[in-house]
Amino acid sequence: MSVARIAVMVSGGGTNLQALIDAQESGIIKDGKIALVISNNAGAYALTRADKAGIPAEVVLLKDCKDRAEFEKRIEDLLSEYDIDLIVLAGFMSILSAEFTGKHPNRIINVHPSLIPSFCGKGFYGLHVHEAALAYGVKVTGATVHFVNEIPDGGKIIMQKAVEVMEDDTPETLQRRVMEEAEWKILPRACQKIAREIVRGN
Ligand code: GAR
């Protein structure tokens, strides 16, 4: 295999998707190619980012499916259709079932906006993570890229980066700093690392 075909799954703004697109253009990601974007939200700005970059995008809505199993089956069908090797969850706000994750061991990675095992697991997503970090009063937080298994945010850690919490931070300012200083840096690097392992047959 010369290049690992990547599907990026998104739900919202897609700044992490943008970081991946930019990293592909700048050559930070060289053993992977973003071949597909899947969104579970038809209004996600991430879809516009995919369009601007000329990347095929598909929308799969839970409300159009009779149950979660059908929702995941539609995603599986797309992954096969586009011949995907690596799945990257970049702000994908839906927990995938153990059945789904079990089919792709070490082939799904996720970016989480804290230093796992702090502020992670069920209910900890998006801004809530930063609200929890500020409420606890931690002075350092960060981001983690990890493999996805049947335990929410419980898979093996691939990369982490720490970010300082400022005295006057709000959840929004902290979220932005964690994205800029950590997520947008480690997600592309982790993606390249795993893509390279896939290409080399590891
Ligand atoms: C990011 O901060 C990402 O780490 C987080 O949602 C945001 C999505 O932003 N993901 C989670 O909380 C998953 N548990 P984006 O759409 O701009 O990339």
Side-chain angles (χ1 to χ4, degrees), residues 84-157:
I84 297 302
D85 303 300
L86 173 64
I87 303 160
V88 179
L89 308 185
F92 186 66
M93 300 303 185
S94 176
I95 293 177
L96 295 164
S97 72
E99 206 200 334
F100 186 98
T101 58
K103 282 187 196 140
H104 308 277
N106 298 330
R107 290 295 177 266
I108 313 176
I109 69 174
N110 177 51
V111 61
H112 182 78
S114 75
L115 293 174
I116 289 175
S118 289
F119 314 117
C120 65
K122 209 163 177 285
F124 287 99
Y125 59 90
L127 212 51
H128 299 305
V129 178
H130 305 291
E131 284 164 1
L134 290 176
Y136 199 96
V138 293
K139 301 303 172 206
V140 174
T141 184
T144 303
V145 179
H146 62 94
F147 285 115
V148 175
N149 64 9
E150 70 288 355
I151 303 156
D153 296 324
K156 190 166 173 261
I157 290 171

Side-chain angles (χ1 to χ4, degrees), residues 8-14 17 37-47 60 71 89-95:
V8 184
M9 294 180 56
V10 297
S11 300
L17 168 65
V37 169
I38 299 176
S39 175
N40 66 343
N41 169 13
Y45 186 70
L47 292 167
V60 183
F71 173 72
L89 308 185
F92 186 66
M93 300 303 185
S94 176
I95 293 177

